[in-house]
C-alpha cells in the first residue's frame, strides 16, 4: 500500500509540474546573469578548458539565450518535451564538464549563476545529477498545465 | 224340256248371282269405311245366299281394330267369336298358309271344326286381304234348308273376292282420309308455326336492330376517352337509334359544380338550359342523400318525362333517363320528336338501359382516364421534383463526402500534429536552437556588453615566438623575464620556476602595479594557453602595446616546458 502510494507520489504529474517550474525558473535565473555579463561567462566557459578558443565567445553568447528560451517554454508548457530534452542535455553536458575539471583538479568556480562562486566540487556534480533526474522525471510524467494542451485538447475534440 | 228346265233354273240362278254380285260390288264401291263395307257385304251376301244367320270377324293388325259383326246369331253363339278371331290372328302371325288376297272355304255344309264358332254355321270362310287385314266369314244354313252346292261355293268365292277388293279399297280410302286429316292438321300446325316464326322474325329483327345499335354505339363509344366527345357521340347515337330529331344530355360534376351539356336539334329559344340548382333539385327528388343508390341497384333509370319538371325545360322530351357514375357525377339524357315509334314496343324500356349501360362504362372509363391523366401529370411533376431532389441530394452527398474527406484529412492532420506536439522532434529542437541563436545574436549585437564572436587573437599581429631550448637558455641565464599569462589560480597551481603572474583578466591592474617600470628592451617570455584561451598571445600583444619590444611567446607553453623536464614550481 505504502509502496504504491510512494510510487504514485513519485510518478505524480503534479510533482513533475513542480520540477518543471523549478528547473524552468532555475534556467531563467541562470541565464539572466549570463546574458547580462557575456564576457564574464565567456571566461567561465574558457576556464573549463573544453571548448576550442574560437567557439568560446559564440557559446557565451548563444547558450544563455538557449537556457532562457528553454526555461520559459518549459514553464509555460509549450514544446515542453523538446525544451526539457535540451535542458537535460545541457545539464548532462555541464555535469560532464564539472566532472572532467574535478578530475583535472582545476581550481575553477562553477560559473553556473555568477562568476564569483565557490570552486567546483563533487557536490556540484551531485547537484547537477539531481537536476538531471528532475528533467528525466519531467520528461516522463509531466502532463499538467501545458499551454499547448489547452489547444491540442480542443483540436482532439474537433478531430 | 226336262233338261232345259234345270238349265234355265241354273241360268236364272247364275244371272241372279251375277246380278247380286254386281249389286254387291256397286254397293260396296260406294262405301268408304271398312266397317260399313263389312256390314253391307254381310247383309247383301246373306241375302244372296239365302241365309238368315251369318257372322263376320275381321282384324286389322295395322290399327289393331277387331270387328265382329254377327247377324242372326244371339247369346252364347257369339260369346266365343273373339277367340275364333284370335285363332286366325295367331295363324297369320305364324305365317302358315297365308297368301295375299286369299279366300279359303274351310267348312262347307258341316258344323265348324272350330269350337269357338257358332255351331249353327254351315259355311266358314277364311279370308286374307294381306298380312294385315284378315278375318273369318261364317254363314248359317239356307232358309230353304237346302245344302250349299258348288255354285254357291263359287258364288261365295266371287262375293268374298269382291268383298276383299272393296275392303282393300275402303282401307286405302280410310288410309288416304287419315293421311288427309293428318296433312290438314300438319298444315294447320305449319301455318301456326309460320305465324310464330314471322312474329319471332319480327322480334329478331327488332333484337338485331337493338343489338346493332348497341354494337354501333359501343364501338363508337369504346376507345373514346374524351368526356365531351363521348357525350356528343352518345347523344348522336341514341338520337339515331330512336330516330329522334331533338336530344340533350348533361353531365353534372357535383364536386367541381360544373355541368357539361350537349344539345342537338332544338331551336335556340327552346333549347334546354341547365344550372346546378335545378340539377340538384332533380336528383334530390329522385335520390336521397348521399345521392348514391344502394349496392346492387342500377346506376341509371328510364324516367317518365313528367319527372323532368324540376329542370324547367321548354319542351319535355318523349324519352328520358337519368344516370350516375358515382357520388360526384350525375347526368340526364332526353330525346324528343321521335319519328318512328312502334305502337306495341317500348324501346326505352329495353334498348335505352342497355345503351345507357354501355355509355356509363365508357363514361366511367373516360372519367377514370381523366383522373389518371391528372394523376399522371401530378406524378410527372412529382417525378421531376423527385429527380431534382435526387440530383440535389447527390450533389449534397458529393459535397458531404468531399467535406467528410477534407474533415478526415484535417482531423488526421490535426491528430498527427497533436501527437507531434507531444513528442520530442528534431524540428522542435532545431527551432529552439534557431530562435535562441537569433535572439542571442540580435541581443549581442545591440547590447553595449556584447562581445565579438571572432577570437581576438585572429586580429592581432603574429607575436614573436621562442622555442623551449632558447627559452631554457634565457631562463638559466636569467636574461629574460618569464610571465605566466593564466589566471592566478592556475599560476598558483603550477608555473615555470621564477615566473611571474600577469593574468589577462587583471592585466591593467597588475601591470601598472608591478611592471610599469620595466625596461622596454627587457626580454620577456610569455606563456600560458589552453584549448579555450590564448592568454600568452593576448598578454604579449598588450605588452607590445605598452612599448615592450622584446616580447616572445613560448612555443608549446608550460606543457612543453614540463615535457622537457625544465624546472617548475611549486
Amino acid at each position: 500500500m505504502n509502496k504504491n502510494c510512494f510510487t504514485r507520489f513519485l510518478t505524480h504529474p503534479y510533482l513533475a509540474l513542480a520540477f518543471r517550474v523549478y528547473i524552468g525558473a532555475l534556467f531563467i535565473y541562470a541565464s539572466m546573469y549570463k546574458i547580462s555579463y557575456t564576457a564574464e561567462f565567456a571566461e567561465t566557459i574558457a576556464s573549463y578548458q573544453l571548448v576550442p578558443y574560437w567557439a568560446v565567445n559564440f557559446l557565451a553568447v548563444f547558450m544563455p539565450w538557449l537556457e532562457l528560451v528553454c526555461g520559459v517554454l518549459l514553464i509555460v508548457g509549450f514544446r515542453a518535451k523538446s525544451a526539457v530534452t535540451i535542458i537535460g542535455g545541457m545539464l548532462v553536458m555541464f555535469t560532464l564538464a564539472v566532472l572532467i575539471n574535478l578530475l583535472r583538479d582545476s581550481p575553477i568556480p562553477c560559473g553556473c549563476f555568477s562568476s564569483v562562486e565557490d570552486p567546483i566540487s563533487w557536490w556540484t556534480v551531485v547537484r547537477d545529477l539531481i537536476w538531471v533526474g528532475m528533467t528525466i522525471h519531467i520528461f516522463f510524467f509531466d502532463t499538467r498545465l501545458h499551454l499547448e494542451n489547452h489547444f491540442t485538447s480542443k483540436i482532439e475534440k474537433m478531430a | 224340256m226336262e233338261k232345259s228346265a234345270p238349265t234355265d233354273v241354273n241360268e236364272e240362278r247364275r244371272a241372279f248371282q251375277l246380278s247380286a254380285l254386281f249389286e254387291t260390288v256397286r254397293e260396296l264401291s260406294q262405301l268408304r269405311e271398312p266397317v260399313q263395307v263389312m256390314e253391307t257385304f254381310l247383309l247383301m251376301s246373306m241375302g244372296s245366299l239365302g241365309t238368315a244367320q251369318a257372322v263376320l270377324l275381321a282384324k286389322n293388325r295395322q290399327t289393331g281394330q277387331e270387328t265382329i259383326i254377327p247377324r242372326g246369331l244371339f247369346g252364347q253363339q257369339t260369346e266365343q267369336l273373339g277367340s275364333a278371331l284370335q285363332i286366325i290372328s295367331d295363324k297369320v302371325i305364324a305365317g302358315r298358309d297365308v297368301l295375299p288376297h286369299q279366300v279359303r272355304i274351310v267348312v262347307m255344309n258341316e258344323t265348324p271344326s272350330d269350337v269357338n264358332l257358332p255351331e249353327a254355321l254351315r259355311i266358314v270362310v277364311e279370308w286374307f286381304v294381306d298380312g294385315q287385314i284378315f278375318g273369318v266369314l261364317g254363314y248359317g244354313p239356307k232358309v230353304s234348308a237346302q245344302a250349299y252346292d258348288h255354285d254357291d261355293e263359287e258364288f261365295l268365292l266371287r262375293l268374298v273376292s269382291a268383298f276383299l277388293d272393296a275392303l282393300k279399297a275402303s282401307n286405302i280410302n280410310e288410309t288416304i282420309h287419315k293421311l288427309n286429316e293428318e296433312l290438314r292438321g300438319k298444315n294447320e300446325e305449319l301455318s301456326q308455326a309460320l305465324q310464330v316464326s314471322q312474329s319471332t322474325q319480327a322480334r329478331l329483327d327488332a333484337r338485331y336492330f337493338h343489338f346493332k345499335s348497341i354494337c354501333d354505339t359501343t364501338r363508337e363509344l369504346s376507345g373514346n376517352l374524351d368526356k365531351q366527345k363521348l357525350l356528343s357521340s352518345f347523344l348522336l347515337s341514341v338520337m339515331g337509334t330512336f330516330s329522334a330529331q331533338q336530344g340533350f344530355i348533361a353531365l353534372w360534376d357535383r364536386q367541381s359544380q360544373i355541368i357539361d351539356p350537349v344539345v342537338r336539334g332544338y331551336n335556340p329559344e327552346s333549347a334546354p338550359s341547365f344550372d346546378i340548382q335545378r340539377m340538384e333539385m332533380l336528383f334530390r327528388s329522385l335520390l336521397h342523400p348521399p345521392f348514391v343508390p344502394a349496392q346492387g341497384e342500377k346506376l341509371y333509370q328510364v324516367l317518365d318525362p313528367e319527372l323532368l319538371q324540376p329542370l324547367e325545360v321548354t319542351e319535355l322530351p318523349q324519352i328520358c333517363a337519368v344516370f350516375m357514375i358515382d357520388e360526384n357525377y350525375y347526368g340526364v339524357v332526353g330525346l324528343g320528336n321521335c319519328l318512328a315509334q312502334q305502337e306495341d314496343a317500348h324501346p326505352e324500356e329495353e334498348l335505352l338501359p342497355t345503351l345507357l349501360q354501355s355509355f356509363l362504362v365508357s363514361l366511367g372509363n373516360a372519367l377514370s382516364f381523366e383522373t389518371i391523366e391528372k394523376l399522371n401529370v401530378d406524378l410527372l411533376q412529382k417525378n421531376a421534383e423527385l429527380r431534382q431532389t435526387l440530383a440535389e441530394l447527390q450533389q449534397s452527398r458529393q459535397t458531404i463526402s468531399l467535406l467528410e474527406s477534407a474533415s478526415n484529412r484535417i482531423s488526421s492532420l490535426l491528430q498527427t500534429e497533436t501527437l507531434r506536439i507531444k513528442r520530442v522532434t528534431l524540428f522542435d529542437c532545431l527551432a529552439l536552437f534557431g530562435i535562441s541563436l537569433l535572439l542571442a545574436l540580435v541581443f549581442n549585437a545591440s547590447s553595449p556588453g556584447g562581445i565579438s564572436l571572432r577570437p581576438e587573437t585572429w586580429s592581432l599581429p603574429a607575436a614573436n615566438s621562442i622555442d623551449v631550448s632558447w627559452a631554457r637558455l634565457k631562463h638559466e641565464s636569467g636574461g629574460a623575464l618569464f610571465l605566466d599569462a593564466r589566471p592566478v589560480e592556475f599560476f598558483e597551481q603550477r608555473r615555470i620556476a621564477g615566473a611571474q603572474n600577469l593574468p589577462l583578466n587583471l592585466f591593467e591592474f597588475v601591470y601598472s602595479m608591478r611592471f610599469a617600470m620595466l625596461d622596454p628592451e627587457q626580454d620577456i617570455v610569455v606563456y600560458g594557453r589552453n584549448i579555450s584561451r590564448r592568454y600568452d598571445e593576448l598578454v604579449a600583444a598588450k605588452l607590445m602595446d605598452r612599448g615592450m619590444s622584446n616580447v616572445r611567446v613560448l612555443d608549446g607553453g608550460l606543457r612543453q616546458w614540463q615535457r622537457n623536464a625544465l624546472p617548475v614550481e611549486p
Side-chain angles (χ1 to χ4, degrees), chain A residues 35-39 42-43 45-58 60-62 65-67 69-70 73 79 81-83 85-86 104-109 139 148-149 152-153 155-156 158-159, chain B residues 411-412 414-415 417-425 427-430 432-437 439-441 443-444 447 449-458 489-490 493 504-505 530-535 559:
Chain A
I35 287 169
S36 304
Y37 302 98
T38 316
E43 287 306 317
I45 293 170
S47 68
Y48 276 87
Q49 301 177 57
L50 293 169
V51 182
Y53 72 95
W54 45 264
V56 170
N57 282 9
F58 173 76
V61 170
F62 169 64
W65 279 99
L66 185 63
E67 287 176 7
V69 169
C70 289
L73 292 183
R79 296 291 193 273
K81 287 257 180 193
S82 299
T85 306
I86 293 170
R104 277 181 184 167
D105 200 20
S106 294
I108 55 167
F139 185 87
E148 65 192 2
N149 278 0
T152 54
S153 61
I155 289 167
E156 277 169 356
M158 279 167 62
Chain B
S411 121
S412 64
L414 286 174
Q415 276 179 341
E417 203 58 29
T418 312
L419 286 172
R420 200 178 69 80
I421 283 168
K422 289 179 179 174
R423 286 200 306 265
V424 180
T425 60
F427 176 80
D428 287 350
C429 294
L430 287 176
L432 287 179
F433 276 103
I435 291 165
S436 302
L437 181 62
L439 289 172
L441 291 176
F443 182 80
N444 188 57
S447 168
I451 59 171
S452 169
L453 297 178
R454 198 164 178 265
E456 284 178 65
T457 51
W458 289 2
E489 296 88 355
F490 294 98
Q493 198 176 29
L504 181 65
N505 52 350
N530 56 37
I531 186 170
S532 300
R533 276 281 185 252
R534 297 285 171 95
Y535 298 115
R559 188 168 297 180

Side-chain angles (χ1 to χ4, degrees), chain B residues 99-125:
Chain B
L99 292 170
H101 205 81
Q102 189 184 8
V103 179
R104 198 163 57 198
I105 297 172
V106 292
V107 172
M108 190 74 177
N109 296 320
E110 289 174 9
T111 306
S113 57
D114 189 347
V115 291
N116 295 318
L117 290 170
E119 287 178 359
L121 296 179
R122 287 296 173 266
I123 297 174
V124 175
V125 180

Side-chain angles (χ1 to χ4, degrees), chain B residues 68-124:
Chain B
I68 300 170
I69 308 169
R71 293 287 183 261
L73 296 170
F74 305 102
Q76 289 182 343
Q77 291 177 323
T78 60
E79 282 176 2
Q80 301 297 319
L81 291 175
S83 304
L85 190 59
Q86 188 59 47
I87 288 166
I88 194 164
S89 178
D90 292 343
K91 203 184 286 181
V92 171
I93 290 166
R96 287 176 299 179
D97 305 328
V98 175
L99 292 170
H101 205 81
Q102 189 184 8
V103 179
R104 198 163 57 198
I105 297 172
V106 292
V107 172
M108 190 74 177
N109 296 320
E110 289 174 9
T111 306
S113 57
D114 189 347
V115 291
N116 295 318
L117 290 170
E119 287 178 359
L121 296 179
R122 287 296 173 266
I123 297 174
V124 175

